[in-house]
Amino acid sequence: MQHKLTPVADCAVTFRDPFWAPRRQVNRKVTLAREYELLRQTGRLDAFNPRVKGVHQFWDSDTAKWIEAASDALGAAPDPVLQRRVDTVVRRYVRSQQADGYLNSYYQRVAPDKRWTNLRDMHELYCAGHLMEAAVARYAAGGRDDLLQALCRYADHIGTVFGTGKGQKRGYPGHPELELALVRLYRATGQKRYLDLAAYFVNERGRYPYYYDIEAQARGEKPSAEKRGQAYQQLQAHLPLREQATAEGHAVRACYLYAGMADVAAETGDAGLKRTCRRIWKNIVTRRMYVTGGIGSSFAGERFTVDYDLPDEGAYAETCASIALVFFARRMLDLELDGAYGDVMETALYNGVAAGVSLDGTRFFYANRLAVYPALMERRISGQHFTSFRQSWFGCACCPPNIARLYASLGAYVASTAADRIALHLYAAGEIEAPVGDGVVRLALKTDYPWDGEVAIAVTPDRPRRFTLALRLPGWCARPVVRINGRRQPLARIARAGYAYLEREWRAGDRVDLSLPMAVERVEAHPSARQAAGQVALRRGPVVYCLEACDNGPDLADLALPRRAPLVARRSPILGGCVVIKGRATRRSRDGWKDSLYRTARAPRVPAAFQAVPYCLWNNRAEGEMRVWLREC
Amino acid sequence: MQHKLTPVADCAVTFRDPFWAPRRQVNRKVTLAREYELLRQTGRLDAFNPRVKGVHQFWDSDTAKWIEAASDALGAAPDPVLQRRVDTVVRRYVRSQQADGYLNSYYQRVAPDKRWTNLRDMHELYCAGHLMEAAVARYAAGGRDDLLQALCRYADHIGTVFGTGKGQKRGYPGHPELELALVRLYRATGQKRYLDLAAYFVNERGRYPYYYDIEAQARGEKPSAEKRGQAYQQLQAHLPLREQATAEGHAVRACYLYAGMADVAAETGDAGLKRTCRRIWKNIVTRRMYVTGGIGSSFAGERFTVDYDLPDEGAYAETCASIALVFFARRMLDLELDGAYGDVMETALYNGVAAGVSLDGTRFFYANRLAVYPALMERRISGQHFTSFRQSWFGCACCPPNIARLYASLGAYVASTAADRIALHLYAAGEIEAPVGDGVVRLALKTDYPWDGEVAIAVTPDRPRRFTLALRLPGWCARPVVRINGRRQPLARIARAGYAYLEREWRAGDRVDLSLPMAVERVEAHPSARQAAGQVALRRGPVVYCLEACDNGPDLADLALPRRAPLVARRSPILGGCVVIKGRATRRSRDGWKDSLYRTARAPRVPAAFQAVPYCLWNNRAEGEMRVWLREC
């Protein structure tokens, strides 16, 4: 393919669908305002002010994500109050920048003499990356280049400090993020030096001798042997990236890094990096991903563990990690248009990500477990991230503003364009204005997706125009049908790698009908995924379901679903309107157990009608048990 | 019942059975010698020597448990080398005792001015308790009273420091153990002040204001609110013992405490304490105990969690905790002869405890999980206690010498006697010499127990003598049969609470035949025990089985056992000779999965013959997956 695909801008997409439109509205009206208030109360928005106490190494990133989210929201719709808030916060950053371009509230306030002495732990380059992303978003939303200019200066400063040149430090971020941010900065400014710097960070990472050893020695520490092996794997820095074959360590860091690597590969055409992207992607999605698109199964280290290790109660599956997977998937889609990437992106968005925030936009999950027993949470597991209910804030507040910026920029995940193509990845009612060649094509989608799979697309080019409309054929749909102006298209011929390629001269009034029949499916996991053995997850379209105690009573694990029991999908008014699944299972009778914990008499089973709701909507009505995987009998 | 039951002494029991006899032999010949060497190498045996570095607060307890074990072993059979070693170590302790009776290597060496300032954390009274147990065992084994006299002086010193009198500290052990040790000391010496002191510790515990707050304040610390609630529950000190209804906190501390409470109740007849014992016992065995007799399901805090929370992979089930449960059960048996206590004691001994040591006596499990995946252990869970193979030693070395002393004193768990009764709790081939009234009764057992349930008992009183022989009727046996001299006894009339009471004038040549038919049973867990839902554990007699990868290949969780599949028990030469269980299950085919992690096509199932081995014997042949609970289909 000669032309590179580029995401459409969020502001070119209008959502009128039942799923994202209300969430984006809540995000703009409620979440952004509450996060502003919490960032303000905790001191983050005024971190350079000497009166603010407790400045933390990751504060800049929290604020930057909020600036990015607010800027994206302002790009979609003006809001004077929000605009004033963003301008004020940005002004503080711009004003606080040092003469050499350095810009970090923690080091400037707390340890001005310790700059660049601990990349491994201190999030210094990570914060720089988030500020760059915020700067690009602010510029893209309304042309305000104050922060962009500041961050270019900062990037230039970073470019003088790090690199392979004489006197430069051969360091790289302990928490990746800067890599993809530099590519965004390159795309926004056209300055190739930012791409080169991103490529440097990607290529330098994990080389021996380890930079983290060198800087530790410079700090007067003796890096232990343990640190080198296990601990650098935690940071994806145990091996040069091109030699890495599996997704390792902290899941958010990992997928931010892989996303940055995919960006560099896309811009440089580096075949080795592309291979590495594909290899690690494959390891994630075929061995280390929850059915919800959650990744990073271990609370300890917030990390990947080993192939097929996907505990449900013990799942960590950080909200930020699913977001990072969406970033990685989105970039792989533009690198090589393959529906498999779109399938994972869609799964993560409708499940692992959407579960991260309450319907009212005020509460968040940090960890997204696939089975929850509230009684246990009180006693067994400590840590505020591992609760059985969403919380309004976290000391480590990465997830809330990360959701906010993803939701505010969601349009950019819907479609990509190139000179001769529009690729449609997600289906949501609304309009898309896509630049194609020298003109513009409007797509108007009518659909009740994700609750229904009938999608009508009115195609309106600015003038009759030949181009390809590539429609993603979701992997969950066994028999999709595509019609143009009522005529069924031969998918066997025009579909490849999960997309249907509709090439023709399009005219105003053309209509495409995409029919994606949605059945309730029982999904099973690979025989090596032991924690799901004998169980199925219910899925309909891209939406994964769960059972909650408020619908089904406690002891959900004892429910067993007969193999051939019919499962009925029904539109329900609950939870803001959604499709629920109803069926009949069985559970063991409690009679006759008295005070026995174990017994050999077989307990009789009694019928138990059940209702499953979308996983992303759980804990919006009550606290209680929840379970995704259901045992079959 | 007018006469109190008392355990027979270990030296009055000879084991000639296929299970315990070889283990006791290995314990004496191998384990005790290796533990001596490891205790010596780590400095523990010479802790008072100023040249030994790193004295730790719990070292005395490790050494004391070894002295106790070695003394018990010497009571059963002389061994000049072992005797010399014990004498040397004991001499060091006796010689190091301070003028006021104080005796603790850590405080005397490391912090002589900090005595009795931190009962909560520092194991000071815990070490005293273990030294007392060692002293009693040494005295009982051969009349050597050097250590006993020293520990009486130490107990007297403790009695001056602690109590409700003027100027006394109202403290109690952070790690219980001293309570039961003081009762042992009372029984050995007849000095009621030791019983009174034990009763004081039991009764003072958990009163408000909390002593641990008071001593923390005295140290200049501010006890946090968090400490008071959750942290004192960890030590069973959140409430007065009589107000506690559930087994909470650190499982070893808990059951040592409950055992001490049962001892005090037995000696004082305190009805309130007895009720508390029964209430907490019931909570453990009906809500918080693994099918193997393991307790304390959480790695964090080595503790009980909530009712029915019994994860298999995540099980902690410390070896010491099962041993502590055996202590508690044994004392409840003498408090009120009920087979339910004997059932739990037998289950813990043959499963949760016996799994703690390798067949060759050189390696130990600290945590006893019920499902193990070695690949995971390398990455997911840190901590030396949580390995997929037994280890030769631990930094916190509580379990190895605890097994050694239990095995060396196992005879005391076999039977109890009173003036008019012998109660037989465990069945193992061999001889028992039981004091009854003013004489002695010899019981000679012939049986292949636990591999077979036919038990022939030759009863030989010193002269014709009327007494009751009470035989435990194991709960696992649905239809036991008892014959005296070939004549079947009417169990409906003579059995109550799990024991058959055979009262007659016994004469030399009398023979009792106890027939306990052993079937392979499928045990299911309560519907609220979610981690075992849909699964069964295989049990035969008192022995719980497991599957190992070396017999059955990996991915054991994917095996499914048809509900009516026949299960065959067969004597096998493997693992030192044991009964294995064979059957046919099914597993999903790996074909057609290619690189999918999730799919909706139902995977075909293929037959899979399997072999289960006793749980206590796993990891004696190879490292690999292991699993107790098997899914039924």
Side-chain angles (χ1 to χ4, degrees), chain B residues 215 240 354 550 605:
Chain B
E215 63 163 20
C550 60
R605 301 198 68 86

Side-chain angles (χ1 to χ4, degrees), chain B residues 362-434:
Chain B
T362 65
R363 290 169 301 121
F364 306 89
F365 275 128
Y366 198 111
N368 292 279
R369 286 165 297 134
L370 274 73
V372 168
Y373 295 86
L376 187 64
M377 290 299 100
E378 294 169 22
R379 303 253 203 117
R380 186 183 175 84
I381 298 160
S382 56
Q384 62 165 343
H385 299 167
F386 231 40
T387 53
S388 50
F389 49 89
R390 293 185 185 84
Q391 297 177 80
S392 57
W393 196 242
F394 308 91
C396 176
C398 51
C399 298
N402 221 1
I403 291 185
R405 71 182 181 131
L406 179 65
Y407 278 15
S409 64
L410 195 69
Y413 297 81
V414 167
S416 304
T417 64
D420 57 350
R421 267 172 304 152
I422 305 175
L424 208 47
H425 312 307
L426 299 177
Y427 301 106
E431 292 95 46
I432 304 168
E433 220 176 80

Side-chain angles (χ1 to χ4, degrees), chain A residues 164-206:
Chain A
T164 56
K166 206 179 153 198
Q168 288 184 304
K169 294 175 190 282
R170 296 188 64 156
Y172 37 85
H175 193 316
E177 149 67 25
L178 182 59
E179 300 83 351
L180 69 87
L182 282 166
V183 178
R184 280 188 82 173
L185 197 63
Y186 158 64
R187 287 171 180 160
T189 63
Q191 298 298 322
K192 188 162 171 299
R193 62 181 183 278
Y194 302 137
L195 174 61
D196 295 341
L197 188 55
Y200 157 76
F201 284 127
V202 165
N203 289 315
E204 188 64 24
R205 191 171 202 87

Side-chain angles (χ1 to χ4, degrees), chain A residues 248 282 286 289 309 313 376 379 524-526 528 530 555 588 590 595 597-599 602-603 632, chain B residues 248 286 289 309 313 376 379 524-526 528 530 555 588 590 595 597-599 602-603 632:
Chain A
E248 298 298 344
K282 184 173 161 182
T286 68
M289 183 182 73
D309 177 44
E313 271 187 57
L376 187 64
R379 302 254 203 116
E524 61 179 315
H526 190 278
S528 292
R530 64 193 184 282
D555 291 338
R588 278 181 291 172
R590 298 289 205 114
D595 273 322
L597 179 53
Y598 302 106
R599 64 179 206 183
R602 200 166 289 277
E632 281 198 325
Chain B
E248 298 297 344
T286 68
M289 182 182 74
D309 177 44
E313 269 188 57
L376 187 64
R379 303 253 203 117
E524 61 178 316
H526 189 278
S528 292
R530 65 193 182 283
D555 291 338
R588 278 181 291 171
R590 299 290 206 114
D595 273 322
L597 178 53
Y598 302 106
R599 64 179 207 184
R602 199 165 290 277
E632 281 197 327

Side-chain angles (χ1 to χ4, degrees), chain A residues 140-172:
Chain A
R144 288 174 177 80
D145 70 351
D146 46 357
L147 195 59
L148 188 69
Q149 287 193 22
L151 269 296
C152 284
R153 285 194 298 274
Y154 193 14
D156 291 336
H157 169 73
I158 291 169
T160 64
V161 176
F162 297 99
T164 56
K166 206 179 153 198
Q168 288 184 304
K169 294 175 190 282
R170 296 188 64 156
Y172 37 85

Side-chain angles (χ1 to χ4, degrees), chain B residues 85 134 156 159 167 193 213 243 351 411 434 542 574:
Chain B
R85 289 173 168 179
D156 291 336
R193 61 181 182 277
D213 283 353
E243 295 173 30
N351 304 285
I574 64 168

